[in-house]
Amino acid sequence: METKDASTDAAADALPSEPGNFASRPGGDADEGVQIRCCLEGELGMFRVLEAKGKALSSGGFGVSMPQRKSQPTTDADETGGVGEQDNSKATASRGANEHLFIEEVLFLHERGLLECLAFPPANNTDAATDPSCCWDTAQLFRLLPQLNMSVPMYLVYQHLRSQDFRVLRHDPKRLVLLQRQQELRSTREKDMSLRQEATALRHQVRSSIAQALPPSIDDDDDDSEEGRLLTIAWDAYQPNSQFGKTHPGLPDFYVAVTYYNESHVRFAQIEELVVNHCHGIPLKL
């Protein structure tokens, strides 16, 4: 996987600086393309979904489900990322109540005119009539990347994968054990109460792993050192799949590590060490 060394300011300067305007985005008329409204929750470093309609959020399961209040029971839509047999208008409120998005998904959807990001939460979250001048534009969202510990090159890799409809999750090395155990339970024919309880606990653990995964980064150490830059897994990638579920995604189809293509600082020994000791048989793309 290749990406170019671009600075945040350079990328932002190349983008429109006018306030968010539905008519100027891909999708045409006001509200025609916007399917998700969200706002930044600074203490979480994530964007809370205020309103969601259509399939931008549900079809891929890219929303991060945070713990729900007791008054909001978990539905099948929360586990699979879909809306099941619910009416779409009813599903909007339930998904928006606890769904959050990371900056990379917010920016990806915003560039495609599918998402509107409010500069501050509205007084009434159910009020869909928002002032476009109170929304962040694409350039402003790009400037948020470093504040949320996401570099532009790392985002460009995410953007590239998502544009091909891959399901992409932040990597957490502890998640693999949970996914392997989920596979074992699914292959077990006899499921007593204890196994069902374990399966439920595993779904919650996988969801927490996705929500708490740290933003991936490219090592900034001097590449002239003998060891070179530290190479780590950045993303878990899944082939397009309508049955993809956030709490039971299965083993990744491949891992993604990110480095600069215009610097020769990655040694074969580093790639070999990553494949042998950290990929556990899952293909790696660099």
Side-chain angles (χ1 to χ4, degrees):
M1 183 59 61
E2 297 181 352
T3 183
K4 58 185 178 181
D5 184 5
S7 67
T8 304
D9 290 339
D13 291 342
L15 297 167
S17 58
E18 294 298 322
N21 189 332
F22 294 146
S24 64
R25 300 176 189 168
D29 297 335
D31 285 345
E32 180 182 343
V34 174
Q35 298 185 18
I36 298 175
R37 287 185 171 89
C38 65
C39 67
L40 176 64
E41 288 194 346
E43 58 183 17
L44 288 178
M46 302 169 68
F47 294 78
R48 177 163 56 91
V49 177
L50 303 173
E51 180 184 355
K53 59 182 178 180
K55 298 182 179 180
L57 182 64
S58 63
S59 62
F62 299 105
V64 178
S65 297
M66 304 299 288
Q68 291 181 316
R69 301 182 181 91
K70 293 183 179 180
S71 60
Q72 296 170 340
T74 300
T75 65
D76 291 340
D78 299 317
E79 301 300 330
T80 64
V83 297
E85 298 179 355
Q86 299 181 37
D87 178 75
N88 203 38
S89 60
K90 295 179 180 179
T92 297
S94 63
R95 293 206 306 272
N98 74 319
E99 291 286 354
H100 290 67
L101 296 170
F102 286 122
I103 178 62
E104 58 267 26
E105 182 67 9
V106 167
L107 187 49
F108 175 80
L109 293 176
H110 189 276
E111 286 186 293
R112 280 147 184 79
L114 297 173
L115 178 142
E116 175 186 74
C117 187
L118 306 184
F120 49 84
N124 183 358
N125 289 349
T126 62
D127 184 9
T130 57
D131 182 359
S133 65
C134 297
C135 302
W136 277 328
D137 61 21
T138 304
Q140 290 169 318
L141 288 174
F142 259 97
R143 294 189 182 100
L144 277 179
L145 285 172
Q147 299 179 37
L148 298 176
N149 300 314
M150 177 69 63
S151 67
V152 171
M154 189 63 72
Y155 166 69
L156 294 178
V157 173
Y158 180 88
Q159 178 197 62
H160 173 75
L161 293 168
R162 283 285 284 112
S163 65
Q164 300 179 70
D165 207 26
F166 286 109
R167 276 58 176 144
V168 187
L169 301 175
R170 293 183 177 185
H171 179 70
D172 178 4
K174 299 178 182 179
R175 189 183 307 141
L176 180 62
V177 175
L178 302 175
L179 299 179
Q180 289 173 332
R181 181 54 181 164
Q182 282 186 325
Q183 280 196 329
E184 293 174 1
L185 291 180
R186 278 198 289 269
S187 64
T188 303
R189 293 183 179 179
E190 298 181 3
K191 295 185 178 181
D192 56 22
M193 182 59 67
S194 62
L195 291 181
R196 291 193 182 95
Q197 292 175 345
E198 182 182 0
T200 300
L202 282 171
R203 286 197 295 270
H204 287 293
Q205 291 175 42
V206 171
R207 182 171 65 183
S208 297
S209 169
I210 294 173
Q212 298 172 8
L214 298 176
S217 61
I218 302 176
D219 182 28
D220 288 330
D221 288 344
D222 186 2
D223 61 308
D224 292 333
S225 64
E226 184 177 346
E227 294 80 11
R229 295 181 188 269
L230 178 65
L231 189 63
T232 59
I233 298 172
W235 307 106
D236 296 5
Y238 295 81
Q239 295 287 350
N241 183 357
S242 61
Q243 301 303 314
F244 177 84
K246 293 172 288 186
T247 58
H248 50 279
L251 298 181
D253 289 297
F254 59 91
Y255 287 139
V256 180
V258 181
T259 185
Y260 298 110
Y261 74 87
N262 58 344
E263 296 181 10
S264 57
H265 58 262
V266 177
R267 294 165 174 77
F268 178 79
Q270 293 176 286
I271 301 176
E272 182 181 36
E273 193 274 336
L274 192 63
V275 171
V276 172
N277 297 328
H278 299 280
C279 290
H280 305 283
I282 296 174
L284 174 70
K285 292 192 177 183
L286 179 63

